[in-house]
Amino acid sequence: MSDILTVAGDSRLLANPDLDRARPYGPAERAILSLEGARAAHAAIAAWEGYRPTPLLSLAALAREAGVGSILYKHEAHRFVLKSFKALGGAYAVERLVATRGSAEGLTVTCATDGNHGRAVAWGARRLGVRAVIYVHETVSQGRADAIAAYGAEVRRVPGNYDDAVRASAEAAAANGWTIVSDTSWPGYDLIPRDVMQGYAVLGIEAEAQGARPTHIFVQGGVGGIAAAILSWTWESLGADRPVLVVVEPDEAACLLESAAARRWTTVGGDLDTIMAGLACGEPSELAWALLSPGADAFMAIPDGRAADTMRRLAEERIAAGESGVAGLAGLVAAASDPQARAVLGLDAASRILCIGTEGATDPTIYREIVGRDAAEVEKETA
């Protein structure tokens, strides 16, 4: 096991023991994700009704507090109607699936979700006239389940955690001839997850066009899909000169950090109980791990309190952000407050940070409980 550093008294940081910055982004990597694929996804998604790049916000006050040069926050709260970056992945994969088949007739798609991915698949399915059956586990909030059902999907709740829902979805697909549209991969299932992750890379294309030139990127973990997508964009574009990439997860569901520590793909068990519901994943995507294992610079795990504090701090800046959406920024705040972590990550007063704010207030009730105000009230103050 590799050494894990305790950061700011409550978080964990692991410098990737298998990082190889000299490794080129070669054919094996491009077979997973590529700039060519990202540009194709961007062209397709940009043609959808209601498309517009989400804002890249400057958090000057937080940058001063963190002792870094700048913090840019890619705010996904108004991505189409879904309040989440997931629209770029699940809905794009459904579109690709229908295009490949040549028709939506007779097609049923299914997936497991903590909320946002299932909502994106349901929305994408409704756009194209496809039936969707979405599996949620027992701790997914009713608000998130209702938001999926609002797009016409059948929502089925199963006992256990996210990984149990993944298995239930896969079993139902096999029994009924449905097609899984998952953001995670496993042996024998990887083509559709590539499309999902390729859609996520649109975030990088947008951020670059908006002027982002980061020295560091702090991005959420989960199964690793968005982290791999952002890494692929920077690695293929810039090689060894790419920004330092730090992957941030909930302490209760840190499957990527634990995989890095074990120096092999591995899982974490338990109920994966965290307010960062979109990141409550115990099994990494094997495709994502194939890129993150040699390419990510570091992995962090943070407690729920860090996410809640960051949501409240962003509300002071008139930004309504969800629990999972703030994880990367919360990881930065923790690391920036710790001298040893700053040294490990090369954070200093000149550092330019990019954080991906992956969701807005996707569950209004939970947001109000944590922040003390409605998201609409916070956002109204922006006007």
Side-chain angles (χ1 to χ4, degrees):
M1 297 289 283
S2 300
D3 291 337
I4 297 175
L5 174 67
T6 299
V7 172
D10 61 6
S11 302
R12 294 183 289 155
L13 171 66
L14 175 65
N16 184 1
D18 291 325
L19 175 66
D20 182 3
R21 274 195 161 256
R23 175 172 168 169
Y25 199 85
E29 289 75 26
R30 286 194 296 274
I32 300 173
L33 295 172
S34 68
L35 288 176
E36 179 183 7
R39 292 179 183 124
H42 181 249
I45 291 168
W48 295 355
E49 182 180 357
Y51 170 79
R52 66 180 187 275
T54 51
L56 188 64
L57 307 178
S58 176
L59 306 180
L62 272 74
R64 288 192 296 271
E65 293 167 15
V68 296
S70 63
I71 300 174
L72 295 177
Y73 184 83
K74 184 74 167 147
H75 189 32
E76 292 293 295
H78 301 286
R79 178 67 73 180
F80 294 106
V81 296
L82 299 183
K83 302 183 181 179
S84 164
F85 82 106
K86 291 283 190 175
L88 299 172
Y92 175 62
V94 172
E95 182 173 275
R96 291 269 292 170
L97 177 62
V98 171
T100 300
R101 292 176 86 253
S103 170
E105 185 177 354
L107 176 63
T108 297
V109 295
T110 186
C111 70
T113 188
D114 287 308
N116 291 339
H117 176 69
R119 194 174 180 182
V121 171
W123 179 68
R126 190 177 74 169
R127 285 181 66 243
L128 297 165
V130 173
R131 181 189 178 212
V133 181
I134 310 298
Y135 284 77
V136 300
H137 57 88
E138 61 189 31
T139 63
V140 171
S141 71
Q142 191 58 46
R144 289 193 171 93
D146 291 344
I148 297 167
Y151 291 105
E154 178 186 345
V155 179
R156 297 183 180 182
R157 191 178 290 273
V158 297
N161 59 28
Y162 170 78
D163 300 310
D164 294 312
V166 169
R167 284 183 278 274
S169 172
E171 290 167 1
N176 295 288
W178 301 342
T179 300
I180 302 169
V181 179
S182 177
D183 56 351
T184 191
S185 64
W186 53 84
Y189 177 78
D190 60 8
L191 293 179
I192 290 175
R194 292 173 202 263
D195 288 337
V196 172
M197 291 193 293
Q198 203 66 85
Y200 295 162
V202 170
L203 283 166
I205 291 175
E206 288 184 357
E208 185 173 30
Q210 291 167 318
R213 300 293 184 271
T215 60
H216 296 72
I217 300 174
F218 284 72
V219 63
Q220 282 77 314
V223 299
I226 185 173
I230 296 299
L231 172 62
S232 72
W233 158 59
T234 60
W235 189 354
E236 188 172 0
S237 299
L238 300 170
D241 295 327
R242 66 186 182 272
V244 172
L245 185 88
V246 183
V247 183
V248 184
E249 305 171 273
D251 198 47
E252 295 298 320
C255 59
L256 297 169
L257 183 149
E258 296 298 343
S259 292
R263 307 187 75 169
R264 59 178 177 80
W265 183 94
T266 193
T267 67
V268 296
D271 57 13
L272 310 177
D273 186 20
T274 170
I275 65 168
M276 292 171 270
L279 307 178
C281 309
E283 298 181 8
S285 165
E286 295 191 2
L287 279 179
W289 182 244
L291 295 181
L292 295 173
S293 176
D297 291 86
F299 299 86
M300 284 193 72
I302 61 170
D304 282 357
R306 286 277 177 187
D309 288 346
T310 303
M311 290 172 66
R312 290 187 282 264
R313 181 65 184 86
L314 282 177
E316 294 174 14
E317 300 293 320
R318 303 175 182 178
I319 299 170
E323 313 89 85
S324 299
V326 303
L329 179 58
L332 165 65
V333 170
S337 71
D338 187 284
Q340 193 172 358
R342 290 180 72 95
V344 168
L345 299 176
L347 290 170
D348 59 30
S351 297
R352 303 182 304 275
I353 315 299
L354 173 62
C355 294
I356 311 297
T358 50
E359 66 170 1
T362 53
D363 189 315
T365 300
I366 292 176
Y367 183 84
R368 188 186 313 113
E369 290 173 354
I370 293 172
V371 175
R373 288 179 287 166
D374 289 334
E377 182 182 351
V378 170
E379 292 173 344
K380 186 177 181 181
E381 295 170 358
T382 307

